[in-house]
Amino acid sequence: MALSEFSLIERFFSHPDIVRDDVLIGVGDDGAQLRVPSDQTLVVSIDTMVAGVHFFPDVDPADLGYKLLAVNLSDLAAMGADPAWMTLALTLPQADESWLQGFAQGLSQLANGHRVQLVGGDTTRGPLVLTLQAHGFVPAQCIVTRAGARPGDRIYVTGTLGDAGLALRIMRGEPRAAVVAVDFLRQRLLRPSPRVEVGRALRGIASAAIDISDGLIADLGHILKRSRVGAQLRLEALPLSDAYTTVFMNGLDYVSALSGGDDYELCFTAPAHQHERIQAIAGECACPITCIGEIVEEGGLSITLHGEPYQPSSPGYDHFANG
Ligand code: ADP
Ligand code: MG
């Protein structure tokens, strides 16, 4: 049954499970009224997902709702921010109840886990496009940016790299893989884990950070550019999942790990003396953190495999270059 715009909003987006006391006015008025704690600054990030570009149109709507928030929480995590609120702009071809039900459920599942409240949005008719803006807090002095990497810093990544990119390659027909591996890799593509706790714990420890959405090479490249430094990466140190290495049993292919995109892991730099603290954070947050190289003064990004120079075949995803 088709719903009107207002009954749709009332039904799926007006009754948040999480009710925060810093929300003075949420969904239902012309704007939301929100209180930022006096000792904090506001960090805002927005992402759009377009059917056919960022997801297959027939994907489970619960996975979509989950991922739309996950990619935004990942951005907040990279800044060291604590998520608080979100606004949601939906462009829908039709008001399909079961689709909306699934979407709202997937979105709430992740939002509830991070105490994020939906405080407003916009709903229009048109080709399927989903936009979410996430808002979080960080004390002014604690913000982590892309610009602070210094020569001698170590380079770290959370989790494992390339799983989502490899899932996409497999779904497109190459390479072939066993069902268990495909299930794991697909799950990593559909439901990325935003590293919110790690990001928060890295305040005052990381010198620079970024979340990996377009592939390690491309995103580490942003840190290098903004920090005006170079880097040396050791390919054999990259954290790869068992599923990833199983797929490449007959010869490891690093393309997805380096340039696959959609990882939503953090890449960050920190002075060498923070190494033990970083290992402790990995334990506290139950999230692997791996040192993959060092920041150097200049020379862009150089990659070695067991000491030999390695030339990557593709730099990373760029919507305009690839489109
Ligand atoms: P306006 O016309 O004043 O912009 P709308 O009629 O678009 O307001 O929206 C009514 C209320 O519902 C507003 O509070 C708006 O923030 C909220 N809203 C609209 N769409 C969504 C959505 N997809 N998710 C959450 N809140 C929404
Ligand atoms: Mg209005």
Side-chain angles (χ1 to χ4, degrees), residues 5-6 9 13 26-31 88-90 118-123:
E5 175 189 338
F6 296 104
I9 296 166
F13 303 113
V27 171
D29 218 307
D30 290 305
L88 173 66
L90 290 179
L118 182 63
V119 296
D122 195 25
T123 306

Side-chain angles (χ1 to χ4, degrees), residues 63-298:
D63 289 336
L64 262 188
Y66 190 100
K67 184 163 180 175
L68 183 63
L69 178 57
V71 303
N72 278 284
L73 294 188
S74 179
D75 282 320
L76 294 189
M79 310 288 296
D82 260 338
W85 312 310
M86 58 180 171
T87 47
L88 173 66
L90 290 179
T91 306
L92 306 169
Q94 70 263 329
D96 177 329
E97 268 194 67
S98 79
W99 191 95
L100 279 160
Q101 178 94 47
F103 176 83
Q105 184 265 323
L107 180 65
S108 306
Q109 190 185 338
L110 186 62
N112 296 352
H114 290 280
R115 291 200 48 75
V116 174
Q117 183 175 342
L118 182 63
V119 296
D122 195 25
T123 306
T124 53
R125 190 169 193 152
L128 185 57
V129 177
L130 314 169
T131 299
L132 190 140
Q133 185 169 50
H135 312 73
F137 308 141
V138 67
Q141 305 308 318
C142 295
I143 191 97
V144 183
T145 71
R146 300 176 178 185
R150 295 285 167 267
D153 285 356
R154 293 186 179 178
I155 305 167
Y156 295 87
V157 291
T158 59
T160 55
L161 298 180
D163 297 323
L166 182 54
L168 264 180
R169 280 169 63 186
I170 292 170
M171 287 157 80
R172 289 178 175 141
E174 177 276 342
R176 296 171 62 84
V179 175
V180 272
V182 177
D183 284 350
F184 171 85
L185 298 168
R186 261 177 58 88
Q187 205 51 29
R188 294 273 289 153
L189 174 68
L190 296 174
R191 297 216 171 196
S193 307
R195 302 302 186 182
V196 173
E197 295 79 12
V198 176
R200 191 180 197 289
L202 288 173
R203 291 176 182 175
I205 291 168
S207 49
I210 191 166
D211 75 313
I212 307 173
S213 51
D214 297 327
L216 176 66
I217 292 182
D219 289 316
L220 175 59
H222 295 310
I223 289 187
L224 302 185
K225 192 163 179 211
R226 290 286 307 280
S227 301
R228 298 168 194 263
V229 291
Q232 289 176 348
L233 275 194
R234 290 183 303 276
L235 213 46
E236 66 277 12
L238 294 196
L240 304 175
S241 65
D242 290 345
Y244 190 108
T245 51
T246 307
V247 171
F248 295 116
M249 237 162 2
N250 301 319
L252 206 45
D253 168 341
Y254 290 98
V255 174
S256 299
L258 286 174
S259 328
D262 259 3
D263 285 318
Y264 300 105
E265 296 293 346
L266 297 180
C267 174
F268 64 94
T269 61
H273 70 85
Q274 296 288 7
H275 188 71
E276 277 183 18
R277 180 74 200 107
I278 288 165
Q279 295 311 309
I281 290 171
E284 289 155 19
C285 299
C287 172
I289 300 179
T290 310
C291 177
I292 59 167
E294 280 81 40
I295 295 293
V296 295
E297 271 186 30
E298 52 195 11

